[in-house]
């Protein structure tokens, strides 16, 4: 167990040393709910009952849940970093905006009550073009050092991920 924590910490240090988790969100705007504190957000992936596969594209939704006991807010885009086997840091390039499957709602404040959720669409291609063999994905919902690690077992072309901003509703193509 200690070895896994050290490997995970080493991967996080490597990512931060190379410019941090790519694509960080910004703090919530003043006047509304306070920004979500590190440790109060949990990230998972979900297909939300919708398939995101086509033309060498694959995708999933990121789902962030407020596990705290206070209403808080997030804004913008999650920070992402790919990890390989053993949680080794992999080259990661995050492109913000529309994905192959969904329109980007743009950076805006999303208020999360306790138990509340927000979503972002995450898409990549896997044709084999300079693919990195991803096993995991670090997700920092607010761009802080606090992050969740979720499984992502796929080849990711050039380490490039396409991501929409957080939204209270599932991002869609319409």
């Amino acid at each position: 167990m200690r070895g896994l924590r050290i490997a995970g910490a080493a991967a996080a240090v490597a990512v931060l040393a190379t410019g941090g988790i790519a694509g960080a969100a910004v703090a919530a705007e003043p006047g509304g709910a306070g920004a979500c504190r590190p440790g109060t957000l949990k990230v998972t992936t979900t297909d939300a009952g919708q398939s995101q596969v086509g033309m060498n594209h694959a995708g999933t939704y990121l789902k962030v849940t407020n596990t705290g006991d206070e209403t808080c807010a997030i804004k913008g885009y999650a920070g992402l970093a790919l990890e390989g086997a053993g949680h080794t840091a992999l080259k990661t390039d995050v492109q913000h905006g529309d994905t192959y499957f969904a329109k980007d709602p743009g950076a805006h404040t999303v208020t999360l009550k306790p138990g509340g959720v927000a979503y972002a669409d995450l898409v990549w291609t896997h044709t084999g073009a300079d693919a990195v063999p991803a096993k995991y994905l670090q997700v920092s919902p607010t761009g802080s050092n606090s992050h969740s690690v979720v499984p992502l077992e796929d080849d990711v072309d050039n380490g490039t991920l396409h991501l929409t901003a957080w939204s209270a509703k599932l991002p869609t193509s319409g």
Side-chain angles (χ1 to χ4, degrees), residues 1-11 86-88:
M1 186 69 143
R2 179 175 154 83
L4 288 177
R5 282 188 292 219
I6 292 170
H87 295 276
T88 55

Side-chain angles (χ1 to χ4, degrees), residues 43-52 59-64 117-122 150-151 170:
V43 178
T44 56
T45 58
T46 180
D47 67 5
Q50 301 177 22
S51 174
Q52 290 198 77
T60 188
Y61 292 106
L62 298 178
K63 177 181 173 183
V64 63
V117 300
Y119 300 92
D121 192 41
L122 172 66
V150 296
L170 286 172

Side-chain angles (χ1 to χ4, degrees), residues 78-95:
L80 304 175
L82 293 168
E83 295 181 350
H87 295 276
T88 55
L90 298 175
K91 173 185 126 183
T92 307
D93 177 37
V94 180
Q95 303 291 315

Side-chain angles (χ1 to χ4, degrees), residues 41-145:
L41 298 175
K42 179 182 179 187
V43 178
T44 56
T45 58
T46 180
D47 67 5
Q50 301 177 22
S51 174
Q52 290 198 77
V53 177
M55 301 295 293
N56 294 317
H57 289 80
T60 188
Y61 292 106
L62 298 178
K63 177 181 173 183
V64 63
T65 304
N66 178 1
T67 61
D69 56 5
E70 296 179 9
T71 298
C72 64
I74 59 175
K75 180 180 178 180
Y77 300 85
L80 304 175
L82 293 168
E83 295 181 350
H87 295 276
T88 55
L90 298 175
K91 173 185 126 183
T92 307
D93 177 37
V94 180
Q95 303 291 315
H96 295 160
D98 295 344
T99 70
Y100 187 77
F101 302 106
K103 296 273 184 210
D104 183 22
H108 64 283
T109 300
V110 179
T111 302
L112 301 174
K113 294 180 180 179
V117 300
Y119 300 92
D121 192 41
L122 172 66
V123 175
W124 61 94
T125 60
H126 51 110
T127 63
D130 292 320
V132 297
K135 297 290 182 190
Y136 306 97
L137 179 68
Q138 282 186 20
V139 183
S140 173
T142 63
S144 71
N145 288 339

